[in-house]
Amino acid sequence: MIRFERVALRHFKNIDQGEISFPHTDDLENSLPSIIGIYGQNGSGKSSVVEAFALLQRLMSGSSLPSQAADYFQPGADSYKIELQIRLTDADDASSGKQQFDYRLIYDVEIARSANPQRSQNKNAATFRISHERLRIKNLLAQESLRTLIALSASDDPALSTSLSPTGDWKSLFTGRSDDRSQLMVQLALANERSSSGIFSYNVYAIVERALSEQARKGTNMSKNTLAALAHLHHYLLCVPALALNALENMDVISTSAHAEVSLNFLHVQSRHADYWGSEPDGIRLDLLAANTLDLKTFERLKQTIGALNEVIGTLVPGLSLIVQNHGRQALDNGETGVRAELFSQRGSALIPFRCESEGIKKIVSISTLLVNVYTNPSAFLAIDEFDSGIFEYLLGQIVETFSKYAKGQLLFTAHDLFPLEKLPKQSVVFATSSPSDKFITFTNIRKTNNLRDVYLRAIELEDGPAAIYNRTDRYEMDNAFYQAGQALKPQGVDDNE
């Protein structure tokens, strides 16, 4: 089981410093719901958290960072940092006495501006680089202190090698294995050029695994310090692939750009899985304006996914179900036989193309598989920006309340609709403030009888919250501003009375 415990941002967009802790991350045997709703006025930094998780998902899955990573620097800042605290455990075996591992991991990464436009193979990413990343580990079963497992520092000059630490541990691994060390440094340099993580590189992992296996064959013919160093590095073989595969299979981030796809009549059915570490998830993307030609395997997977989703969709939108219609066979570009498929909505006996549905329903369908995964899978994590966009307020409140009580995985969302504040426990609500140095807060001293929505609105109105949670706006200033703008835009010679 993998659970995220805490995320911290430094100099990320308009956030000088901000930290969010997830609730119910200690009682892992019971898999209590771990939900976070982030609220705040426009431009307060809510979406920045979702964007940070999008970067973390790509880093931990071994993918290259997107060109948008260059948009997250603060003006005048040379770098920004993201830190994620993670719990990796087989706590579900604790009650049977079979628990073998329980780790607390902290992964931190620093993205820096690049002064070398030729540094990266990715031309869009040549303006930034991964300057530092580190993975620390604490063995909770052995009650050990927090130790660095691997840390990398990369130069802006590709001719200079990446530094690797802890020096003693890695020196012990590569003693007498200069070829393996050389191959490792080459793979770290390639990861640097691709703007991808060196820690979560599959090729780096393969070299380390081979070197540790070879050293293990030497048996006990090594010093005590060398044996201790190699034992420590063995944690790398367990933790890194577990985090990488979890990022591919169970970690999903839905940004506002994903919502835009729905507006353009593209539906991403998130039947996602990855074939191997470093591959891209293979969710099914449908063009709603025309029939889609799919290979037979994808067509069957689409039908299976839609069939399973109808159980959920009928409760979210009463009376609605979906049907995948087969419009016949068609040859694929590779010469194989495919199927022309189109998605339809059914209400009673009425059947209409799914493209005719509202954007809200399209959005509900597009994220349904991800919500099911969070509801049933303790290792699942889903971040959704503007969760309330296109979804009826009361329905959103019911979804959030259900997940806050029964979901096994983790859900983080941003929203402007305040009704869910009446449904979420106080520890699940984070408010984005107008203070860059203390960006995220929770309200304390909230009684069970208090309505958190009313408390939040009162804090805005009376300016008596625990921090500056709102940059004050004035209705009369708005009125005057609209009037003055209208006067400035009015064609010359036009009278107000005309």
Side-chain angles (χ1 to χ4, degrees):
M1 181 193 306
I2 292 177
R3 305 274 274 191
F4 298 151
E5 297 184 320
R6 177 180 57 85
V7 64
L9 307 180
R10 303 288 185 271
H11 307 301
F12 191 94
K13 298 184 73 173
N14 66 341
I15 301 173
D16 284 347
Q17 181 170 314
E19 184 174 305
I20 293 175
S21 296
F22 288 85
H24 304 311
T25 55
D26 289 330
D27 190 1
L28 299 181
E29 290 184 47
N30 297 314
S31 297
L32 294 175
S34 184
I35 312 298
I36 286 289
I38 308 176
Y39 282 83
Q41 70 184 118
N42 298 98
S44 59
K46 303 184 300 298
S47 296
S48 297
V49 180
V50 177
E51 290 165 335
F53 271 108
L55 294 186
L56 287 168
Q57 195 276 337
R58 293 190 69 88
L59 286 165
M60 291 193 294
S61 64
S63 301
S64 297
L65 291 180
S67 58
Q68 291 89 339
D71 298 334
Y72 303 146
F73 291 101
Q74 285 187 346
D78 293 328
S79 66
Y80 58 83
K81 299 178 182 180
I82 307 173
E83 181 177 286
L84 182 64
Q85 183 171 303
I86 309 162
R87 188 81 171 270
L88 171 60
T89 180
D90 59 347
D92 48 337
D93 292 330
S95 58
S96 62
K98 298 180 180 179
Q99 186 175 11
Q100 298 180 12
F101 62 89
D102 190 1
Y103 299 116
R104 174 162 289 128
L105 301 157
I106 300 179
Y107 173 64
D108 57 270
V109 60
E110 180 177 18
I111 313 296
R113 295 184 191 273
S114 176
N116 183 359
Q118 304 300 321
R119 184 199 62 80
S120 176
Q121 293 179 359
N122 181 354
K123 293 181 179 179
N124 293 325
T127 57
F128 65 87
R129 60 190 175 88
I130 301 173
S131 60
H132 176 82
E133 56 178 337
R134 176 177 57 171
L135 183 63
R136 290 174 288 170
I137 184 171
K138 181 176 183 179
N139 188 339
L140 298 177
L141 292 181
Q143 298 182 344
E144 295 176 353
S145 58
L146 188 68
R147 292 181 58 187
T148 297
L149 187 56
I150 179 172
L152 305 174
S153 294
S155 170
D156 201 18
D157 185 350
L160 300 177
S161 61
T162 299
S163 65
L164 175 66
S165 59
T167 306
D169 291 352
W170 292 98
K171 183 178 179 181
S172 296
L173 176 62
F174 292 113
T175 298
R177 306 189 63 83
S178 58
D179 287 347
D180 280 343
R181 179 175 177 82
S182 297
Q183 292 180 34
L184 178 75
M185 301 314 293
V186 168
Q187 292 302 325
L188 291 176
L190 289 174
N192 187 25
E193 290 181 11
R194 288 193 297 261
S195 299
S196 62
S197 169
I199 290 178
F200 293 100
S201 164
Y202 177 78
N203 291 332
V204 169
Y205 166 81
I207 294 170
V208 174
E209 181 185 39
R210 182 175 66 242
L212 281 170
S213 298
E214 291 295 329
Q215 292 284 25
R217 291 193 182 98
K218 295 181 179 180
T220 58
N221 190 25
M222 289 180 280
S223 69
K224 183 177 180 180
N225 290 339
T226 298
L227 288 172
L230 297 180
H232 179 59
L233 291 181
H234 266 284
H235 295 311
Y236 176 94
L237 299 185
L238 170 67
C239 297
V240 168
L243 295 178
L245 292 173
N246 188 73
L248 281 166
E249 297 177 352
N250 293 318
M251 186 176 179
D252 291 279
V253 180
I254 304 299
S255 64
T256 51
S257 61
H259 302 328
E261 273 204 325
V262 171
S263 301
L264 296 172
N265 278 301
F266 287 99
L267 182 70
H268 206 111
V269 182
Q270 301 282 353
S271 170
R272 58 174 286 148
H273 72 275
D275 293 329
Y276 56 90
W277 181 1
S279 68
E280 292 291 336
D282 63 346
I284 306 168
R285 187 172 184 264
L286 299 177
D287 182 352
L288 298 180
L289 298 179
N292 296 256
T293 304
L294 308 174
D295 62 73
L296 295 178
K297 181 179 179 181
T298 302
F299 176 70
E300 291 300 324
R301 188 154 54 90
L302 176 62
K303 286 201 307 180
Q304 180 184 7
T305 301
I306 294 300
L309 286 184
N310 277 329
E311 293 288 334
V312 173
I313 292 170
T315 65
L316 300 179
V317 186
L320 175 66
S321 62
L322 302 181
I323 294 176
V324 180
Q325 283 214 346
N326 183 340
H327 290 312
R329 300 294 178 97
Q330 182 170 320
L332 301 172
D333 292 339
N334 60 8
E336 295 182 0
T337 300
V339 178
R340 294 177 65 247
E342 187 174 3
L343 197 60
F344 280 78
S345 297
Q346 184 171 25
R347 288 181 172 86
S349 60
L351 198 66
I352 64 170
F354 185 69
R355 64 176 179 269
C356 299
E357 294 288 357
S358 70
E359 290 185 14
I361 288 180
K362 293 175 187 175
K363 176 182 175 179
I364 289 172
V365 171
S366 70
I367 64 175
S368 291
T369 50
L370 306 183
L371 290 174
V372 170
N373 194 31
V374 170
Y375 190 85
T376 58
N377 182 358
S379 293
F381 173 83
L382 173 61
I384 307 178
D385 199 9
E386 298 189 7
F387 192 15
D388 54 339
S389 174
I391 298 180
F392 182 51
E393 177 183 28
Y394 189 78
L395 174 61
L396 179 66
Q398 288 184 311
I399 295 172
V400 167
E401 183 178 22
T402 299
F403 274 68
S404 69
K405 291 181 177 180
Y406 306 115
K408 294 183 178 181
Q410 293 183 285
L411 172 66
L412 178 144
F413 68 91
T414 73
H416 298 99
D417 206 327
L418 300 182
F419 181 63
L421 294 182
E422 300 183 11
K423 302 298 182 180
L424 285 169
K426 65 178 182 179
Q427 64 267 27
S428 290
V429 181
V430 172
F431 296 99
T433 74
S434 57
S435 171
S437 60
D438 187 19
K439 181 52 69 173
F440 304 109
I441 63 167
T442 57
F443 281 2
T444 56
N445 301 321
I446 303 294
R447 300 176 181 175
K448 290 185 177 180
T449 55
N450 290 144
N451 184 312
L452 188 55
R453 178 181 183 273
D454 291 342
V455 172
Y456 180 49
L457 290 175
R458 184 170 62 250
I460 292 174
E461 189 68 29
L462 302 179
E463 299 183 355
D464 66 348
I469 59 173
Y470 192 76
N471 272 329
R472 191 72 176 176
T473 52
D474 187 278
R475 183 179 67 80
Y476 299 104
E477 290 180 359
M478 292 182 195
D479 180 26
N480 182 62
F482 279 114
Y483 175 79
Q484 295 296 337
Q487 293 298 308
L489 295 173
K490 184 170 60 178
Q492 291 184 355
V494 177
D495 189 85
D496 285 344
N497 296 320
E498 293 184 13

